[in-house]
Amino acid sequence: YTFRMGEFDVFTGIPGHGKTSFCFQLMMNGSIMYGWKWGVFSPENYPIGELYETLVEMYIGKSSDIESNSRMTINEYTRGMDFVNKHFFVVYPEESFSLGIILQRFRYLVQTKGIKGVLVDPFNQLDHSYNGMSEANYVADTLNQIRKFTKANDVKFIVIAHPITMRSD
């Protein structure tokens, strides 16, 4: 996997099989290896403290769970949280999960924090308004908005799309 700004990636797969964890690990690798900063819209990882906890555990490589045999120390936790706070910025607009508002927040983070990548997880949690369009036209229009944002802001854009159902054909 190569990190390239200006690219748009979509990940999908079987429910509960680690799409989010995989993408978080990719993002963490980009932060460790290249210093990348990320904007994250991930309402399924709410409250936000749990998302940060997951990222700290990935960074340190140990659990923060009090009952774990490989529990991190308070110094490791503090070091991990410092790293995560410098490299990950959560977007959670209370007023709406519309793509337009999410992109506004990401644009602000590009301008103020210098983020290099963004994550929308999952695409299905965005507020979708078809405005009389067919679903196919709506999806095409939405993907075009994302592509334009990606190019205009020179970021890596990652979307996780959860399938509605899995067929066992």
Side-chain angles (χ1 to χ4, degrees):
Y1 187 85
T2 303
F3 288 93
R4 291 188 190 100
M5 294 167 61
E7 286 191 351
F8 168 38
D9 296 342
V10 177
F11 293 90
T12 191
I14 298 169
H17 279 69
K19 294 176 294 297
T20 299
S21 294
F22 177 77
C23 288
F24 281 171
Q25 190 64 60
L26 281 178
M27 295 161 57
M28 182 60 69
N29 291 352
S31 296
I32 292 168
M33 294 167 56
Y34 308 115
W36 279 34
K37 297 177 181 179
W38 297 88
V40 178
F41 171 73
S42 188
E44 288 186 347
N45 287 285
Y46 192 82
I48 293 168
E50 290 182 19
L51 186 149
Y52 279 94
E53 194 87 7
T54 298
L55 293 169
V56 168
E57 289 177 341
M58 284 181 172
Y59 179 71
I60 297 297
K62 294 180 181 177
S63 176
S64 62
D65 187 352
I66 196 161
E67 296 181 15
S68 173
N69 291 337
S70 64
R71 184 173 181 219
M72 68 182 80
T73 66
I74 191 70
N75 287 340
E76 288 171 324
Y77 183 84
T78 300
R79 182 171 50 90
M81 191 56 79
D82 286 345
F83 182 87
V84 168
N85 283 328
K86 289 176 185 166
H87 292 89
F88 294 88
F89 303 91
V90 175
V91 168
Y92 193 86
E94 298 286 336
E95 68 275 17
S96 169
F97 287 173
S98 75
L99 180 62
I101 289 175
I102 303 296
L103 295 179
Q104 276 180 346
R105 301 286 171 90
F106 285 157
R107 187 173 299 109
Y108 174 79
L109 291 172
V110 167
Q111 295 167 350
T112 62
K113 302 295 184 185
I115 64 170
K116 302 279 187 197
V118 300
L119 170 72
V120 170
D121 172 34
F123 178 80
N124 316 53
Q125 288 268 328
L126 293 173
D127 290 340
H128 298 288
S129 177
Y130 293 96
N131 294 328
M133 285 191 261
S134 70
E135 184 176 6
N137 285 342
Y138 170 77
V139 169
D141 182 62
T142 301
L143 295 177
N144 281 332
Q145 286 180 56
I146 291 171
R147 276 191 212 95
K148 287 177 185 176
F149 176 89
T150 301
K151 296 293 184 193
N153 293 280
D154 198 27
V155 295
K156 162 65 88 183
F157 204 117
I158 298 173
V159 170
I160 299 175
H162 291 192
I164 296 171
T165 59
M166 292 301 295
R167 295 176 34 186
S168 57
D169 295 50

